[in-house]
Amino acid sequence: MKDLPLKITAVQMQGLGLLEIRFLYNLVNFQMSWPRKYFLALLPAAITVGVWQVAWLAFNVFGCDGDIKHMQHCFAGPINLLPFMKFGLFWMQLASLITVPMSALMLIFVGARHIGFHNGASES
């Protein structure tokens, strides 16, 4: 079988790209309610701050001793809570420095789109 030369112009390539993008957009085009958008904007901050606060509560309730560098083993029944304490008290505190401002910005953007949507702009 003879190979035929395939010539595609830049305009045709651009048209194929737009067609592909439209197809992908139609696959993922779904409507999400506004409360769900607000919930998703707040979720990263809620998770990191929540895990940090649960670790702090467990540190106080189970009578753990020490500081973040010299923490003593702490048990709740047969379960050693030391890995959770170090993860919750150290890493979640650092992660919350990133996720809280990020969630605040996402919340502002969702609120701005919500206000714009009510003022007649189309949602995109």
Side-chain angles (χ1 to χ4, degrees), residues 55 58-59 64 68 71 74 81-90:
F59 181 80
C64 301
I68 195 68
M71 193 173 290
C74 175
L81 295 176
L82 184 63
F84 172 72
M85 293 295 168
K86 287 189 175 187
F87 179 76
L89 293 176
F90 181 72

Side-chain angles (χ1 to χ4, degrees), residues 38-54 92 95-96 98-104 106:
Y38 285 110
F39 174 75
L40 287 176
L42 289 173
L43 194 62
I47 289 172
T48 54
V49 173
V51 169
W52 174 28
Q53 293 305 309
V54 167
M92 288 297 110
S96 67
I98 297 168
T99 59
V100 169
M102 181 182 70
S103 286
M106 286 192 297

Side-chain angles (χ1 to χ4, degrees), residues 67-78:
D67 58 7
I68 195 68
K69 289 187 177 180
H70 305 99
M71 193 173 290
Q72 303 297 321
H73 287 280
C74 175
F75 292 95

